Amino acid sequence: MRRPRPRTPRRRLLATAVLLAAAALAPAALPATAAPVPVPLRHGGDRCPEHERLPSALTARLDSTVEKVRREAGIPGLVVGVWMPGKGCYVRATGVADKRTGEPMSAGMYVRIGSETKTFTVTALLRLVDEGKVRLDDPIDRYVRGVPNGRRITLRHLAEMRSGLFPYTSDADFTRDLLSAPKRPFTPWEVLSYGYRHANTSEPGTTFQYSNSNLVLLGLVVEKVTGRRLADVLREDVVRPAGLRNTFLPKGAEFPEPHPRGYTDQTLTGAVADATDWNPSWAWAAGGMISNLDDLRRWAPVVATGKLLSPATQAERMKTLPTGFPGTGYGLGILDTNGWIGHNGSLPGYETVTVYLPSQRATLVLMLNTDSLSGGQEPSTLVARAVTGVITPDNVYAGSVTPRS
């Protein structure tokens, strides 16, 4: 869901979710005395050793750019990581992880990664393709019954966001039910049922429409074919082979320390709330995972270059199609935004971006502890555009494919 009109149900849950998964703060509005104290930029320690950092002039320009966009967009805490082989690296944490205590944001924290989860779920599916256990052009009805038009919607249609299935996060009852009790658990079948109440929005394969319903179904396919829980498949068949240590799909609201508090205005009233402990089970295969800077840095080139897949299957993944968003194409669970390959993530309280630029072997990772829009824009998009405008002016991040109201 994206920013609604005042006092109407929210329409942007995990839309990022690229596009993007209410207990309001008590009190709902932070007292004036709790306003965060400005925190200086801090380098990322051994994530970017001093002898490997970008030239001082470029670093200073990035410092100024990052802090400017953070303040203008109202981002409480922000982590920026840039790695450019042959040129250097840049890791900065700025702002606060907790607006009440003033605890500074740190590059070593865990975050909820929202729709970046899609890159993991689709990788699990594509490994099954390589194993000959599924085919991209199989109908979803072969694996999951009861899907509207399921005999004609293929796994490919689901992964490329062209199924025509109504997004369950756009259902008004789902929005009300979630935001009325954001710590409640949801099952995949429950969330799908909200979308199934609506007619399909288009014929399969004809129109790009970001829908978390697609990825929830693909998660069910992975479980059906493997006979294992999706969380276990992701851990054993994707996360570990990629060399990641701190990335997982939680069962509920568990969240390892250290992590920042996450702030959202996706509430029934529009007031800002602390969403840190909200249950992301509603997002599941579409947006429920947790990770950190070190793992996301490793994951960016793995997913963009197809390290875990055969060349033929990766080529299928990278057949990006127009989305209607300028400069942005979408493949099989992956985004191409002016040459940067990867995905963004957004759900209440958190936003992330993890992308890789093959032409320069460059990696960009962003972690934010808010998803509140700024001027109608996702804050992570504003930061990504500003940073890439400095480091890769010929390849400026165009944005996500998050639907907006």
Side-chain angles (χ1 to χ4, degrees), residues 209-378:
Q209 181 185 31
Y210 197 88
S211 173
N212 288 319
S213 301
N214 296 329
L215 267 291
V216 170
L217 284 168
L218 290 181
L220 291 173
V221 171
V222 171
E223 289 195 332
K224 174 75 173 181
V225 173
T226 64
R228 292 180 285 156
R229 294 172 56 247
L230 177 64
D232 296 333
V233 176
L234 294 176
R235 182 182 65 251
E236 297 162 11
D237 299 352
V238 179
V239 169
R240 286 179 179 171
L244 312 185
R245 299 180 178 180
N246 301 291
T247 301
F248 67 101
L249 177 64
K251 181 178 181 180
E254 61 267 30
F255 201 171
E257 296 282 359
H259 60 254
R261 309 303 297 180
Y263 302 97
T264 187
D265 61 359
Q266 292 198 71
T267 59
L268 291 175
T269 65
V272 173
D274 184 331
T276 308
D277 299 318
W278 289 12
N279 192 332
S281 59
W282 60 270
W284 193 53
M289 293 182 78
I290 290 169
S291 191
N292 66 4
L293 182 69
D294 295 333
D295 273 12
L296 294 178
R297 174 196 175 183
R298 293 184 177 93
W299 180 242
V302 169
V303 69
T305 63
K307 179 180 177 181
L308 299 182
L309 305 175
S310 69
T313 299
Q314 179 67 5
E316 291 296 313
R317 174 179 223 161
M318 293 307 304
K319 290 180 179 178
T320 57
L321 297 170
T323 63
F325 294 80
T328 303
Y330 203 82
L332 302 181
I334 202 163
L335 186 70
D336 182 338
T337 173
N338 277 347
W340 288 93
I341 308 298
H343 219 288
N344 64 305
S346 179
L347 79 171
Y350 300 92
E351 288 200 342
T352 56
V353 172
T354 298
V355 286
Y356 180 78
L357 184 63
S359 63
Q360 298 193 37
R361 294 183 297 130
T363 297
L364 170 66
V365 178
L366 305 178
M367 307 191 314
L368 296 73
N369 63 343
T370 185
D371 66 308
S372 299
L373 302 185
S374 176
Q377 296 281 318
E378 290 180 322

